[in-house]
Amino acid sequence: MLFKQQVLLRQKLLVLGSLAIGSLLYLVARVGSLDRLQPLCPVDGRFGPRGQDEIPLRALQFKRGLLHEFRKGNATKEQIRLHNLVQQLPKAIIIGVRKGGTRALLEMLNLHPAVVKASQEIHFFDNDENYAKGIEWYRKKMPFSYPHQITIEKSPAYFITEEVPERIYKMNSSIKLLIIVREPTTRAISDYTQVLEGKERKNKTYYKFEKLAIDPNTCEVNTKYKAVRTSIYTKHLERWLKYFPIEQFHIVDGDRLITEPLPELQLVEKFLNLPPRISQYNLYFNATRGFYCLRFNIVFNKCLAGSKGRIHPEVDTSVITKLRKFFHPFNQKFYQITGRTFNWP
């Protein structure tokens, strides 16, 4: 009897062992085939002209891993050569507008596996000292990327700086230009709020928004105040149109990017001739922060800095009304030039 029980026990152990080995072999085979599986954001389209090679599936890994190390200067020339990485001049630039959502737009576009962003504002074209260093200096400020990826930088001061359109034109007359705008009065108040926060951090006093935005002598809108001037979008755009056709610009709705980002990003993908890769999976609303955060993959999420979404100070309603009335004719012209209408008051 005991002998039979021992035999049955050995048989059970053999069966369990076989099942365990089979499961282990299945997992090994499964892991070994991961490179052949579709990633969360599949990279199966061609990002360059027809006939060029596709970006490898491992581009996502390099983009989040090795490329980060290369940006920190932790790579040898041999490693860079082996991975076929280059520092490219940007094929698209977010030229403005300040406090329109330029950082959010750049970070969201970076969700696309064919896009590589410059992490810092370069201020090459709007800074005479930097511009004097030459185009090679500018190129070396760009991140490492695959040849078929698009490098994008953003410097919102470009939009309002007089010399910039001609300088960018001389670098690349066919470059794609992104402008993100918000309702002009809201944008001006946001501009003021950022400056105010900086003053308070240094324990300095600052004028109220109403005193800066309205000329005390005439009681009219103070067009010398930079926050107001920046919001006259059409005046700045007309200067750019002396060098670039309107087809090379794409206007992004900064207000909609806050509340409903995906449709805006899909329009940008189309403008940049990128295959659609950004999906609702990549964007999730963070109720604590009050705006959308980014999901790159199952383990890597990112929210914008806490300084984004500052609470604006209360502004006299009569001043808001006066500003909106002032901006109205400029807005109408902006709609006409760009072909995009916004529901601004």
Side-chain angles (χ1 to χ4, degrees):
M1 186 71 176
L2 181 61
F3 176 77
K4 286 183 179 181
Q5 289 177 342
Q6 288 176 339
V7 170
L8 288 172
L9 181 61
R10 279 198 296 269
Q11 288 175 342
K12 287 181 180 180
L13 289 173
L14 284 171
V15 170
L16 290 174
S18 299
L19 288 172
I21 292 170
S23 299
L24 182 60
L25 289 173
Y26 172 78
L27 287 173
V28 170
R30 184 73 172 170
V31 170
S33 66
L34 282 179
D35 283 345
R36 296 189 296 276
L37 297 178
Q38 287 290 331
L40 292 172
C41 294
V43 192
D44 56 5
R46 297 183 185 275
F47 303 118
R50 187 175 180 84
Q52 289 185 339
D53 294 333
E54 298 176 1
I55 297 179
L57 292 180
R58 290 190 178 88
L60 291 175
Q61 175 189 352
F62 287 129
K63 190 174 180 186
R64 307 303 170 210
L66 289 177
L67 289 181
H68 177 66
E69 293 300 313
F70 295 158
R71 281 197 295 271
K72 294 192 301 183
N74 295 342
T76 64
K77 289 182 179 180
E78 181 64 14
Q79 286 176 312
I80 294 169
R81 185 188 66 78
L82 285 174
H83 294 302
N84 195 29
L85 295 171
V86 291
Q87 286 173 293
Q88 305 182 82
L89 290 172
K91 295 176 183 175
I93 300 178
I94 301 172
I95 59 174
V97 175
R98 172 181 162 89
K99 305 314 299 172
T102 57
R103 173 56 61 182
L105 177 60
L106 183 69
E107 295 293 343
M108 288 178 178
L109 287 179
N110 193 48
L111 288 164
H112 199 293
V115 172
V116 179
K117 69 177 177 70
S119 56
Q120 302 296 323
E121 293 180 9
I122 310 300
H123 289 286
F124 177 63
F125 297 103
D126 65 311
N127 184 297
D128 291 341
E129 186 177 338
N130 287 342
Y131 190 68
K133 295 174 183 177
I135 202 72
E136 190 61 18
W137 177 88
Y138 179 57
R139 188 181 66 79
K140 288 185 177 179
K141 291 292 181 180
M142 296 299 128
F144 286 99
S145 63
Y146 288 105
H148 299 155
Q149 288 176 309
I150 292 178
T151 297
I152 297 180
E153 76 125 322
K154 75 103 176 174
S155 293
Y158 289 167
F159 186 60
I160 64 170
T161 305
E162 202 166 318
E163 300 83 4
V164 171
E166 182 179 6
R167 289 174 174 179
I168 292 181
Y169 180 84
K170 287 179 178 178
M171 177 191 74
N172 182 358
S173 61
S174 62
I175 197 165
K176 292 180 180 288
L177 302 164
L178 293 161
I179 303 172
I180 179 167
V181 293
R182 296 190 67 192
E183 191 276 314
T185 301
T186 302
R187 195 223 62 83
I189 296 171
S190 180
D191 198 328
Y192 166 83
T193 304
Q194 179 170 304
V195 175
L196 175 66
E197 184 182 90
K199 296 285 186 182
E200 290 176 341
R201 199 182 301 122
K202 297 176 183 177
N203 294 318
K204 293 183 178 180
T205 57
Y206 196 49
Y207 294 109
K208 291 187 69 175
F209 177 79
E210 292 86 343
K211 190 169 184 178
L212 295 168
I214 304 298
D215 188 324
N217 298 318
T218 64
C219 293
E220 298 299 329
V221 172
N222 180 14
T223 55
K224 294 181 180 179
Y225 178 38
K226 188 176 179 180
V228 169
R229 285 203 319 273
T230 300
S231 285
I232 308 175
Y233 304 138
T234 185
K235 289 291 186 183
H236 304 293
L237 181 58
E238 285 172 342
R239 185 173 58 251
W240 284 84
L241 291 173
K242 294 176 183 177
Y243 295 91
F244 300 96
I246 193 63
E247 292 77 21
Q248 282 177 233
F249 296 87
H250 178 73
I251 311 300
V252 179
D253 186 340
D255 294 307
R256 192 183 184 202
L257 193 75
I258 296 170
T259 60
E260 196 179 1
L262 184 58
E264 285 300 313
L265 295 172
Q266 289 171 335
L267 289 173
V268 177
E269 284 180 323
K270 186 176 180 181
F271 173 69
L272 297 177
N273 296 321
L274 294 170
R277 289 294 177 270
I278 302 173
S279 69
Q280 197 61 58
Y281 171 84
N282 300 118
L283 302 158
Y284 66 96
F285 187 76
N286 186 313
T288 304
R289 303 292 295 277
F291 49 79
Y292 280 85
C293 294
L294 317 179
R295 181 185 289 115
F296 289 88
N297 52 46
I298 199 168
V299 294
F300 182 48
N301 299 340
K302 181 177 183 179
C303 285
L304 297 178
S307 60
K308 304 300 177 184
R310 296 180 181 89
I311 297 174
H312 293 178
E314 287 189 20
V315 177
D316 189 295
T317 54
S318 65
V319 171
I320 292 177
T321 301
K322 184 168 286 192
L323 282 168
R324 287 176 172 172
K325 185 178 179 181
F326 168 80
F327 287 126
H328 182 74
F330 296 110
N331 295 342
Q332 295 301 310
K333 192 170 184 180
F334 186 70
Y335 303 160
Q336 184 180 2
I337 292 172
T338 62
R340 182 156 196 189
T341 301
F342 301 93
N343 295 319
W344 296 337

